[in-house]
Amino acid sequence: TMVVNEKVIIQNQTITVLKDRNGKDKSSTIKISDADWNQLMAFYKGVNLKKLASLKAPTEKRFYDGAAIAGLKIINKVNTYETTNFDHGFPPAEIKKLVDKIVSLTEKK
């Protein structure tokens, strides 16, 4: 069984994707275009950070059919905000636009 963990870090208009395939790390970094960055920031500003931890996942496939697990963590200068786990591809509605945009940026590389 191959286990793939993926971590996406967005900072300073760049996106870094770290992949760990059974202990073998691979990473790639790409620059985010101004248009994509502006859209990403607009979606980010629409998120209530204080409510991230209490968002309910719309599906629970990860519990019974091995669906990939995802989560969102936002770190700013003061605090860290984090969701509970959700099924990859099925984020809570409140963060769907932001998560979908992040996923689309990782697929552009």
Side-chain angles (χ1 to χ4, degrees), residues 43-80:
F43 293 151
Y44 166 73
K45 288 175 184 171
V47 171
N48 184 335
L49 296 178
K50 292 179 181 176
K51 290 189 175 180
L52 273 189
S54 63
L55 296 180
K56 176 144 175 54
T59 56
E60 296 184 342
K61 295 177 182 180
R62 64 199 177 281
F63 295 131
Y64 54 83
D65 75 358
I69 299 170
L72 177 68
K73 182 188 289 186
I74 297 175
I75 303 169
N76 63 23
K77 293 177 183 177
V78 181
N79 293 305
T80 298

Side-chain angles (χ1 to χ4, degrees), residues 84-96:
T84 56
N85 290 336
F86 54 87
D87 294 342
H88 178 70
F90 300 92
E94 297 87 344
I95 58 170
K96 183 169 175 33

